[in-house]
Amino acid sequence: MTRAFALGLIVAIGGLSIAVAATQAPSGPSQAALAATKIEKVKDNLYVITGSSTAVREAFSGGNVGVFVTDAGVVIVDTKLAGWGPAIMERIRTVTDKPVVTIINTHTHGDHTGSNEFFGASVESVVHANTKTNMARMDAFKGEKAQYLPKRTYADKLTLGSGKDQIDLYHFGAGHTSGDTFIVYTALRTMHTGDMFPWRDAPFIDRSNGGSGRAWPETIQKVLDNVKNVDSVIGGHQPVSPWADLQQFQRFLADLHATTAAAHKAGKTVDQVVADTAWMSKYPGYQATRLPAAVQAIYDELNGK
């Protein structure tokens, strides 16, 4: 098997697995995934429902779920894959009896919006305007299920609640998709990034939903420049991290794009870019598992595809 063929196969398989997770509705979580999923306290009245750090979490669980217990009720950020609603509620009930009153989705993908329907159409749901447009194209929100589309959208910034219950929603531009939201629990100095900071690896750049490898590092830099008084970060598929880790991820993204763009200009192939990972030595602990798909997406963007 040639390296070029192997690379193409890796990219195809990686893209297919992500597409399946984003669009299909599984019957429900496996027992292994349920056993691995826990609710963990972040600060005071803020929790995160996670999975294990293994493949079980990403393949069968979906993104981290934020659980913010306010005076008015529970605000949840993201809802994992379809079929996870009962498990999410079960975890929430271990910390509060208050009802879920608001859902915020960080972006459109099915591993973050899959169980919106479980919570009913009467629960307030909020997303960026571009994310609502992206969600409306999903089978999970067509026909009769269009009633579960978010009712409230925003453009650049939106504040929900006040005082200790205040949540600020921000959109700074394209990255993972065209409608990614950063959620800040202001009194707790904590931000939920969704898949704008998913893991310590090359990101999934969803060009079909307006994602951009060129814009992503610029968008994160805008977050760093404009959002103050945050020290903890809830990523899309990883444990809670310090603010410095988001700063490092921004530098990683900038180097990824600069390295890939330079190679593209020099006429190198995607295969050649993926083979040269010397620049990644500055980022200990980072993986290159998703590098082929990310480089291909950046090449597609540079080629105007």
Side-chain angles (χ1 to χ4, degrees), residues 6 11 16 23 31 35-36 41-42 48 67 75 84 95 121 152-153 157 172 174 177 181 228 234 246 251-252 256 288:
V11 171
L16 178 60
T23 60
Q31 290 302 311
K41 188 171 186 177
V42 180
V48 61
V67 178
V75 178
W84 271 86
V95 298
R152 188 172 183 182
T153 63
K157 181 181 178 182
F172 287 105
T177 70
T181 290
K228 307 301 180 183
I234 301 171
L246 181 61
R251 295 192 297 271
F252 173 84
L256 168 62

Side-chain angles (χ1 to χ4, degrees), residues 215-235:
W216 201 325
E218 298 173 1
T219 298
I220 297 291
Q221 188 59 56
K222 291 176 184 176
V223 174
L224 300 175
D225 291 343
N226 291 281
V227 180
K228 307 301 180 183
N229 302 316
V230 172
D231 53 40
S232 299
V233 180
I234 301 171

Side-chain angles (χ1 to χ4, degrees), residues 4 11 17 19 24 35 39 50 66 76 113 127 130-131 141 158 162 169 190 199 213-214 221 230 268 286 293 301:
V11 171
S17 64
Q24 287 191 347
I39 186 166
T50 65
I76 58 175
T113 63
V127 296
N130 291 344
T131 288
F141 297 100
L158 175 67
S162 61
L169 281 60
T190 300
W199 43 58
R214 176 195 59 77
Q221 188 59 56
V230 172
K268 294 183 178 180
Y286 272 66
E301 186 173 359

Side-chain angles (χ1 to χ4, degrees), residues 38-39 41 49 52 63 68 87 100 103 128-129 134 136 145 164 201 231 241 271 282-283 290 294 296:
K38 301 176 181 179
I39 186 166
K41 188 171 186 177
I49 300 175
S52 70
F68 188 46
V100 172
I103 296 172
H128 185 265
N134 292 338
K145 294 190 176 184
K164 64 182 178 60
D201 198 337
D231 53 40
S241 306
D271 193 8
K282 295 186 293 182
Y283 303 98
R290 298 173 174 86
Q296 183 63 63

Side-chain angles (χ1 to χ4, degrees), residues 19 47 74-75 107-108 112 120 130 144 149 158-159 174 206 209 224 230 284:
Y47 304 83
V74 179
V75 178
H107 63 287
T108 189
H112 294 258
N130 291 344
E144 292 184 359
L149 280 169
L158 175 67
T159 295
D206 185 2
N209 278 303
L224 300 175
V230 172

Side-chain angles (χ1 to χ4, degrees), residues 1 18 46 56 63 66 77 86 89 103 127 137 140-141 160 180 202 204 217 224 230 247:
M1 179 184 293
I18 290 168
L46 175 63
V56 169
V77 175
M89 278 304 307
I103 296 172
V127 296
R137 295 197 299 265
F141 297 100
L160 304 175
D180 302 287
F204 169 42
L224 300 175
V230 172
Q247 294 173 314

Side-chain angles (χ1 to χ4, degrees), residues 99-169:
V100 172
V101 295
T102 303
I103 296 172
I104 303 169
N105 294 120
T106 57
H107 63 287
T108 189
H109 292 149
D111 60 330
H112 294 258
T113 63
S115 291
N116 280 24
E117 178 181 346
F118 171 82
F119 296 94
S122 62
V123 172
E124 180 182 48
S125 53
V126 187
V127 296
H128 185 265
N130 291 344
T131 288
K132 182 173 182 177
T133 298
N134 292 338
M135 290 171 71
R137 295 197 299 265
M138 298 169 64
D139 289 342
F141 297 100
K142 289 181 179 178
E144 292 184 359
K145 294 190 176 184
Q147 63 182 308
Y148 302 113
L149 280 169
K151 306 298 190 298
R152 188 172 183 182
T153 63
Y154 76 101
D156 301 312
K157 181 181 178 182
L158 175 67
T159 295
L160 304 175
S162 61
K164 64 182 178 60
D165 291 340
Q166 181 171 325
I167 306 172
D168 291 332
L169 281 60

